[in-house]
């Protein structure tokens, strides 16, 4: 439970979108990001894939650290 997977989307060096495994959804930080977050949060397959990324990337590598 101490592990968090974060995916951030950047445009012009500004973060506009972020997925956080602790929230389980996308959050938008700009007008473009809010629109994309709403679209991505409606798609259950996208959310399931991002939630599975925590298992794939984080928990797989935690023993290395």
């Amino acid at each position: 439970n101490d592990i968090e997977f974060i995916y951030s989307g950047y445009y012009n060096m500004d973060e506009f979108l972020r997925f956080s495994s602790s929230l389980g959804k996308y959050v938008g930080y700009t007008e473009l990001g809010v629109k994309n977050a709403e679209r991505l949060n409606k798609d259950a397959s996208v959310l399931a894939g991002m939630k599975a990324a925590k298992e794939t990337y984080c928990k797989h590598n935690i023993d290395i650290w």
Side-chain angles (χ1 to χ4, degrees):
N1 291 334
D2 294 340
I3 301 169
E4 182 177 12
F5 174 76
I6 296 175
Y7 169 82
S8 296
Y10 289 87
Y11 179 76
N12 258 358
M13 298 176 60
D14 290 326
E15 184 178 26
F16 70 95
L17 180 71
R18 180 185 291 176
F19 176 85
S20 172
S21 65
S22 63
L23 292 175
K25 66 178 184 174
Y26 284 91
V27 177
Y29 294 104
T30 64
E31 184 178 350
L32 173 66
V34 169
K35 289 179 183 180
N36 280 292
E38 289 173 357
R39 178 180 56 85
L40 292 167
N41 287 332
K42 289 179 184 176
D43 192 344
S45 64
V46 171
L47 291 178
M50 292 304 283
K51 290 176 184 176
K54 179 178 177 181
E55 299 288 329
T56 304
Y57 296 111
C58 300
K59 292 192 177 180
H60 172 74
N61 292 307
I62 193 68
D63 293 331
I64 296 170
W65 297 95

